[in-house]
Structure formats: structure tokens, C-alpha cells
Amino acid sequence: MIPDFVDINGGKVAIEMFGTYWHSGGREHMSVEERERRFASLGWKLIIIWDYELKNPEEVVRKIRQCLGS
């Protein structure tokens, strides 16, 4: 359970980049919900960004801001 990005300034926010190929349908990966629960149990907020979401950078920024409550 190693995130792709973390807030090193004490915010306890982690970001994971998920690719549709690796993280969907039939692969033996932890579910999104399970990852969120595990990070939350350690006091971290997890933001997951899917590869297809990168086609709309403004939406990715909105998603991050929404998750951070700003």
C-alpha cells in the first residue's frame, strides 16, 4: 500500500493514480473502498485519480479540491 503522491507537510493526504487496465475487472487488487478504509484507519485521506480522468485536467483539480474541502 504505497501511494503515488503524499502531502509531506503533515496534511496526511495521499493520491493514487489508477490505470483502468490494472485496477478494474477481475484483477487481484484491493478494491478502491478497501484502500480508502485502510488509509483512513491510519489517519490518511486518499484521493484516487483514474487514467481516463486525466483527459480533463480541470476536473481532476476540482476533484482534488473537493476532497480537500477547499
Side-chain angles (χ1 to χ4, degrees), residues 5 10 12 18 26 29 32 37 42-43 45-46 48 51 64:
F5 302 95
K12 287 205 139 185
F18 277 13
H29 289 282
V32 169
R37 276 193 299 275
L42 299 170
K45 180 171 219 160
L46 178 64
I48 295 175
D51 56 352
I64 293 170

Side-chain angles (χ1 to χ4, degrees):
M1 213 172 65
I2 300 171
D4 297 304
F5 302 95
V6 295
D7 178 358
I8 61 171
N9 295 317
K12 287 205 139 185
V13 175
I15 298 177
E16 290 203 309
M17 303 296 297
F18 277 13
T20 307
Y21 177 79
W22 291 107
H23 293 280
S24 63
R27 304 220 185 277
E28 295 204 20
H29 289 282
M30 196 182 311
S31 71
V32 169
E33 294 80 14
E34 179 62 21
R35 289 188 86 75
E36 289 172 335
R37 276 193 299 275
R38 288 197 183 183
F39 274 93
S41 74
L42 299 170
W44 286 79
K45 180 171 219 160
L46 178 64
I47 301 170
I48 295 175
I49 300 172
W50 289 89
D51 56 352
Y52 59 84
E53 291 179 306
L54 295 175
K55 294 177 183 175
N56 187 344
E58 294 84 12
E59 186 63 23
V60 172
V61 170
R62 186 202 61 75
K63 180 178 184 176
I64 293 170
R65 285 186 174 154
Q66 180 182 5
C67 289
L68 296 176
S70 56

